[in-house]
Amino acid sequence: GGDGDEDGEYEPPDVEPYDQDPAMKSRYQKFLDAQKKKKGGKEEGSFMGKTWGPASWVGFVIIGPVLTAGVSVFIFMTRGPMWGLGVFLALVVLDSLLFYFG
């Protein structure tokens, strides 16, 4: 049963989905721009399709290797060479994965 107002198929409203939320609209626009860049191939001046900003340099060139070396030396000095080498290799693998997928 119905209430008698059935006049055909449902038509969705003709509005943009993120018009009511400007913050979400800008995030969605950034997402669309990123998708276009991926389809367009690598950008000029990029390494492995990555753009290197200041945060990338700090993370991959300073923090990653310094923490890896520091933690590895600490474990080497407190637990011995076998643990030190194991932790070093694990952190190198972690740094490599974060660089590749980050």
Side-chain angles (χ1 to χ4, degrees):
D3 52 30
D5 291 344
E6 297 176 21
D7 58 348
E9 294 182 27
Y10 169 77
E11 293 183 23
D14 188 26
V15 296
E16 286 295 319
Y18 296 117
D19 276 344
Q20 300 298 319
D21 188 358
M24 193 64 191
K25 187 174 184 176
S26 69
R27 291 172 72 189
Y28 182 63
Q29 189 60 44
K30 288 179 185 175
F31 168 75
L32 291 177
D33 293 342
Q35 293 296 91
K36 288 178 186 175
K37 285 182 184 177
K38 281 185 182 179
K39 290 180 183 176
K42 295 182 179 179
E43 300 175 11
E44 280 189 37
S46 64
F47 176 70
M48 292 177 58
K50 299 177 185 351
T51 55
W52 283 73
S56 299
W57 281 104
V58 169
F60 291 122
V61 177
I62 298 172
I63 294 177
V66 168
L67 279 178
T68 296
V71 169
S72 299
V73 167
F74 176 77
I75 297 296
F76 180 86
M77 298 301 277
T78 56
R79 297 287 180 182
M82 188 173 72
W83 274 96
L85 181 62
V87 168
F88 176 75
L89 292 176
L91 290 176
V92 166
V93 167
L94 177 66
D95 286 341
S96 301
L97 289 174
L98 288 176
F99 176 76
Y100 183 76
F101 291 109

